[in-house]
PDB file of all heavy atoms in Angstrom:
ATOM      1  N   HIS Q 224      13.303 -18.390 -71.315  1.00 98.00           N
ATOM      2  CA  HIS Q 224      12.615 -18.904 -72.505  1.00 98.00           C
ATOM      3  C   HIS Q 224      11.736 -17.786 -73.051  1.00 98.00           C
ATOM      4  O   HIS Q 224      10.886 -17.258 -72.341  1.00 98.00           O
ATOM      5  CB  HIS Q 224      11.779 -20.135 -72.131  1.00 98.00           C
ATOM      6  CG  HIS Q 224      12.619 -21.247 -71.583  1.00 98.00           C
ATOM      7  ND1 HIS Q 224      13.287 -22.154 -72.385  1.00 98.00           N
ATOM      8  CD2 HIS Q 224      12.950 -21.558 -70.302  1.00 98.00           C
ATOM      9  CE1 HIS Q 224      13.972 -22.988 -71.634  1.00 98.00           C
ATOM     10  NE2 HIS Q 224      13.798 -22.665 -70.356  1.00 98.00           N
ATOM     11  N   SER Q 240       3.420 -29.296 -63.047  1.00 93.00           N
ATOM     12  CA  SER Q 240       2.213 -28.553 -62.683  1.00 93.00           C
ATOM     13  C   SER Q 240       2.423 -27.448 -61.651  1.00 93.00           C
ATOM     14  O   SER Q 240       1.790 -26.405 -61.765  1.00 93.00           O
ATOM     15  CB  SER Q 240       1.070 -29.488 -62.292  1.00 93.00           C
ATOM     16  OG  SER Q 240       1.466 -30.295 -61.234  1.00 93.00           O
ATOM     17  N   GLY Q 254       2.508 -11.849 -73.371  1.00 98.00           N
ATOM     18  CA  GLY Q 254       2.434 -10.523 -74.004  1.00 98.00           C
ATOM     19  C   GLY Q 254       3.822  -9.913 -74.095  1.00 98.00           C
ATOM     20  O   GLY Q 254       4.697 -10.202 -73.274  1.00 98.00           O
ATOM     21  N   GLY Q 271      13.157 -18.453 -66.262  1.00 98.00           N
ATOM     22  CA  GLY Q 271      12.242 -17.340 -66.492  1.00 98.00           C
ATOM     23  C   GLY Q 271      11.559 -17.497 -67.836  1.00 98.00           C
ATOM     24  O   GLY Q 271      12.121 -18.079 -68.773  1.00 98.00           O
ATOM     25  N   PRO Q 296      15.492  -8.960 -61.841  1.00 97.00           N
ATOM     26  CA  PRO Q 296      16.377  -8.794 -60.691  1.00 97.00           C
ATOM     27  C   PRO Q 296      17.823  -9.058 -61.076  1.00 97.00           C
ATOM     28  O   PRO Q 296      18.085  -9.780 -62.047  1.00 97.00           O
ATOM     29  CB  PRO Q 296      15.881  -9.836 -59.694  1.00 97.00           C
ATOM     30  CG  PRO Q 296      14.935 -10.719 -60.415  1.00 97.00           C
ATOM     31  CD  PRO Q 296      14.506 -10.034 -61.671  1.00 97.00           C
ATOM     32  N   GLN Q 377      39.120  16.705 -78.818  1.00 98.00           N
ATOM     33  CA  GLN Q 377      39.772  15.793 -77.869  1.00 98.00           C
ATOM     34  C   GLN Q 377      39.148  14.395 -77.947  1.00 98.00           C
ATOM     35  O   GLN Q 377      39.850  13.387 -77.845  1.00 98.00           O
ATOM     36  CB  GLN Q 377      39.704  16.325 -76.424  1.00 98.00           C
ATOM     37  CG  GLN Q 377      40.393  17.684 -76.210  1.00 98.00           C
ATOM     38  CD  GLN Q 377      41.746  17.811 -76.922  1.00 98.00           C
ATOM     39  OE1 GLN Q 377      42.536  16.866 -76.940  1.00 98.00           O
ATOM     40  NE2 GLN Q 377      41.996  18.959 -77.541  1.00 98.00           N
TER      41      GLN Q 377
END
Side-chain angles (χ1 to χ4, degrees):
H224 299 276
S240 58
Q377 299 317 319

